[in-house]
């Protein structure tokens, strides 16, 4: 089974990244800098046609919204994800971004039943090993903001964000896809 996760940027310092998750492995990331959103939509279409993924998740905040609209207009089966929205488990995570980053952490745990394998990508490893978290006033896990990470790293954690999106639905304990969220996203075991 294959899932694509896409973090979108346009022209500036940030990069658009396509993460391809296939058979417990994140394949080498596809990174695009300084392209229009229409070009990025084209790169995603190429990846969809090459890999025929079961799911495609695109960060729809900001510039990603236009890419989501374009791909939906072209009749591609994709899902826009707003990571700033409420977590699917609001008693455990302060927002969806925190939940997705925590899921990535769990998927990398070598003691998990089905840990994932990352590509040899020093920038990705740096992003993953430099994230901070805390707890909010309700005791929920809160991952630091993308802006705070960007200040510390000197760049946006685009690679890690794309990987987080490509792991939506992967459960490191039993590889179950589907579930009770209503979006075909399985988080039943959390």
């Amino acid at each position: 089974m294959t899932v694509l996760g896409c973090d979108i940027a346009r022209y500036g310092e940030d990069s658009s990244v396509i993460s391809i998750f296939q058979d417990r492995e994140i394949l080498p990331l596809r990174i695009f800098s300084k392209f229009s959103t229409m070009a990025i939509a084209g790169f995603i279409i190429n990846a969809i046609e090459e890999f025929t993924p079961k799911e495609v998740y695109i960060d729809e905040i900001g510039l990603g919204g236009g890419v989501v609209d374009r791909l939906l207009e072209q009749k591609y089966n994709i899902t826009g994800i707003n990571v700033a929205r409420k977590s699917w488990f609001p008693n455990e995570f302060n927002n969806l971004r925190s939940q997705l980053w925590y899921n990535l952490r769990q998927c990398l745990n070598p003691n998990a039943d089905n840990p994932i394998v990352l590509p040899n990508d020093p920038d990705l490893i740096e992003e993953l090993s430099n994230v901070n978290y805390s707890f909010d006033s309700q005791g929920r896990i809160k991952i630091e903001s993308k802006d705070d990470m960007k200040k510390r790293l000197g760049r946006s954690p685009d690679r890690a964000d794309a990987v987080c999106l490509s792991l939506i639905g992967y459960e490191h304990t039993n590889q179950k896809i589907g579930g009770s969220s209503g979006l075909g996203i399985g988080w039943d075991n959390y």
Side-chain angles (χ1 to χ4, degrees), residues 91-167:
N91 293 330
E92 297 176 45
F93 305 98
N94 78 317
N95 62 17
L96 184 55
R97 182 171 185 270
S98 295
Q99 181 181 333
L100 296 181
W101 272 80
Y102 186 80
N103 182 59
L104 171 57
R105 175 187 180 269
Q106 296 300 93
C107 289
L108 291 171
N109 182 342
N111 295 320
D113 292 337
N114 301 302
I116 66 164
V117 177
L118 295 174
N120 182 9
D121 184 325
D123 288 336
L124 173 62
I125 301 305
E126 182 182 29
E127 291 172 15
L128 295 175
S129 56
N130 279 294
V131 63
N132 292 318
Y133 75 96
S134 61
F135 295 92
D136 69 11
S137 63
Q138 297 175 33
R140 300 176 301 181
I141 294 172
K142 178 182 178 183
I143 299 296
E144 72 179 315
S145 74
K146 194 168 186 169
D147 287 341
D148 287 345
M149 288 181 73
K150 189 174 182 175
K151 286 176 193 172
R152 203 173 53 261
L153 286 170
R155 68 174 191 285
S156 179
D158 302 318
R159 295 167 193 236
D161 283 337
V163 170
C164 285
L165 290 166
S166 70
L167 292 173

Side-chain angles (χ1 to χ4, degrees), residues 28-142:
L29 300 173
R30 295 183 178 194
I31 299 154
F32 307 95
S33 298
K34 303 187 187 320
F35 285 95
S36 72
T37 54
M38 291 304 100
I40 298 304
F43 296 136
I44 294 170
I45 288 169
N46 289 341
I48 290 170
E49 292 175 357
E50 179 180 351
F51 290 97
T52 60
K54 179 177 174 85
E55 303 287 344
V56 178
Y57 299 109
I58 300 172
D59 184 355
E60 68 180 359
I61 295 175
L63 298 170
V67 174
V68 167
D69 291 346
R70 178 65 176 155
L71 293 172
L72 289 173
E73 177 185 63
Q74 296 295 312
K75 308 294 186 216
Y76 284 94
N77 183 25
I78 59 104
T79 302
I81 300 290
N82 182 338
V83 298
R85 289 196 176 159
K86 184 168 72 171
S87 164
W88 296 311
F89 292 94
N91 293 330
E92 297 176 45
F93 305 98
N94 78 317
N95 62 17
L96 184 55
R97 182 171 185 270
S98 295
Q99 181 181 333
L100 296 181
W101 272 80
Y102 186 80
N103 182 59
L104 171 57
R105 175 187 180 269
Q106 296 300 93
C107 289
L108 291 171
N109 182 342
N111 295 320
D113 292 337
N114 301 302
I116 66 164
V117 177
L118 295 174
N120 182 9
D121 184 325
D123 288 336
L124 173 62
I125 301 305
E126 182 182 29
E127 291 172 15
L128 295 175
S129 56
N130 279 294
V131 63
N132 292 318
Y133 75 96
S134 61
F135 295 92
D136 69 11
S137 63
Q138 297 175 33
R140 300 176 301 181
I141 294 172
K142 178 182 178 183

